[in-house]
């Protein structure tokens, strides 16, 4: 049998665990896997592009476990009441090739993305960072805010979205979560005095959500929204002024903010900072950018975490995704139960 | 919700439909998709190799539906009572990117492989073919025999396997299926007088299951077992004497019998024969070989068939693989039901 974790299971698991505790636990798994980066078989995701969006498969393996995520990105879905991003994932045993664990990953992707952003900021933002500006208050926004609070203790937010209803939803969802939220009238107003700026807008276009002149010295930028070809949020000049940190350059150069830059634009890999191979922030005045696109190892970590969390709980169900004949050479026997015990009938058949 | 078809659902569906009827129906879908070959986005499967086997993702899209299959190949699994191949697959809507249908594909892969072999033989074997030799009587063998009976009316079999228990299982499973089965003592004896020779052995090695001198004029060879790098069944000289037909050359040159041949070894694509663009068998004395490795479009066809067959039946279950927030921008709302109705609380939050 394969362990199945659906949306209801995940929401129940998170409610039972507590969201801050869940985010901290997940961060531990994500960081652990970034620290053993060289142990992974890695590749850019396999994308199937169409008129309205993209469907991607994201495999990763550490030699003992194999994981992959199915994820789509369809910006126009929102207009028909659907999500722009849905996802699910699977963990398998490399030695047998058998799938072991299947989980929803729409909610889980939002959580692992937020956790990775907060982890990156722990290495890249100023140690005394207190205020985070957020531009874009869509489906990913609350998760970002809560991860930064759980992992970095950031509780002061300055937020802006062009859509007042999105802003209202964001503020309503985070009431009683211990935030001090200032709703700004413009993105320029939102970033005033911010130590960290998170851009997480949804429209698929080369936009300038953050222009060079909006960003002062010492700021850390958590650029989440620019995550596929043709979708960026930062002005080119800003990238030239800053030091840019990425997950997996081969993928980020295609999908991230640095798709605007030449192929040899210098970047530092996040795992190198986490393992101490390379420095993160080196001065108070340095501008750092985490050019987040989301990488397969983060999904691998999230699947591992979910799998470990649900063992011995009611937060999963066993499903018969795999045929399990008593005799592996007798797959057909599953269709013919009455013949499953073979009498030696060779002679009869020959007659 | 996503429609889920497990092993029990598939076996019940097949029992209710009747296996021959199921095979004929499936063949219709597989042939339909081969006939519109140029409509598909195609790529060789994405493989993750390890010491004991391989895990592969096989995507295909016709622009309206996107499908992929997860499949492993672990020859040594048999020794520990596990299957060498397990699989599952998903169909999605290209326009929204939403997965719609998730199914077991271990049994289904055996069925679609057998159906594709029988379809190829309908175009490549002599019209008067009556006798099929089968070498290798493992998990795939009964499906091959039943597909050739359902689609080509082949009822006379000459079979051999080095393992007497596999032979016993095969004969027992096909009792009462209307076959005349001759169990041969050697593969040489099995192929005597055969019009069609199916090789479907399992060991991962460059073997010579069929040598040049075993095959007379006019025979069609259905070479199923050679399906990954380092795994072949036919002697090189036999390939030189025959005309070779393949599914997708880019993949077959890596995985099929023709991995033994230079990159420019001439082959004909099966879809070209099915659409009449190229001839199949052109003479009574010609030796034809279908170098079967299994291609993603066949899984796409099988998923379409399963999906269409289970509509309006009890042979599937709805599972909550996808998060469906009432407001697509309010994914977080799924975690906070009590906040799902947003009161306008902006002023309060500002205070």
């Amino acid at each position: 049998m394969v362990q199945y974790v659906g949306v209801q299971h995940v929401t129940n698991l998170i409610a039972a665990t507590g969201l801050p505790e869940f985010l901290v636990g997940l961060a531990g798994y994500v960081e652990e896997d970034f620290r053993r980066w060289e142990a992974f078989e890695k590749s850019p995701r396999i994308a199937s592009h169409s008129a309205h969006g993209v469907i991607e498969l994201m495999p990763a393996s550490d030699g003992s476990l194999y994981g992959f995520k199915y994820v789509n990105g369809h910006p126009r879905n929102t207009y028909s009441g659907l999500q722009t991003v849905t996802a699910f994932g699977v963990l398998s045993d490399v030695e047998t090739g058998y799938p072991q664990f299947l989980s929803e990953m729409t909610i889980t992707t939002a959580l692992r993305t937020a956790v990775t952003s907060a982890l990156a900021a722990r290495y890249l933002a100023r140690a005394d960072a207190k205020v985070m500006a957020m531009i874009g208050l869509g489906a990913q926004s609350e998760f970002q805010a809560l991860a930064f609070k759980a992992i970095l203790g950031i509780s002061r937010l300055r937020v802006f979205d062009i859509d007042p209803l999105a802003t209202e939803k964001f503020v309503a969802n985070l009431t009683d979560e211990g935030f001090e939220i200032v709703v700004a009238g413009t993105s320029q107003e939102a970033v005033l005095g911010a130590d960290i700026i998170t851009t997480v807008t949804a429209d698929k276009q080369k936009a300038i959500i953050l222009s060079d002149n909006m960003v002062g010295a010492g700021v850390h930028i958590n650029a989440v929204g620019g995550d596929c070809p043709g979708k960026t949020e930062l002005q080119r000049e800003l990238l030239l002024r800053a030091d840019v940190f990425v997950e997996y350059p081969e993928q980020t150069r295609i999908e991230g903010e640095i798709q605007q830059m030449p192929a040899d634009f210098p970047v530092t890999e996040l795992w190198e900072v986490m393992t101490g191979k390379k420095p993160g922030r080196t001065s108070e005045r340095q501008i750092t950018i985490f050019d987040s696109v989301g990488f397969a190892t983060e999904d691998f970590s999230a699947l591992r975490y979910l799998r470990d969390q649900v063992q011995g709980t009611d937060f999963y169900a066993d499903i018969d995704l795999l045929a399990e004949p008593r005799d592996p050479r007798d797959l057909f026997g599953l269709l013919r139960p009455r013949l499953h015990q073979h009498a030696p009938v060779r002679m009869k058949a020959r007659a």
Side-chain angles (χ1 to χ4, degrees), chain A residues 123-124 245 268-269 272-273 276-282 286:
Chain A
Y123 289 90
L124 301 176
F245 299 81
T268 305
E269 297 185 45
E272 297 177 299
V273 176
K277 277 181 61 116
K278 299 250 180 96
R281 169 170 295 273
T282 50
Q286 178 186 26

Side-chain angles (χ1 to χ4, degrees), chain A residues 183-204:
Chain A
V183 175
T186 64
S187 47
Q188 288 74 4
E189 183 193 335
V191 302
L192 292 177
D195 306 305
I196 299 170
I197 302 173
T198 290
T199 57
V200 58
T201 60
D203 274 359
K204 181 173 179 176

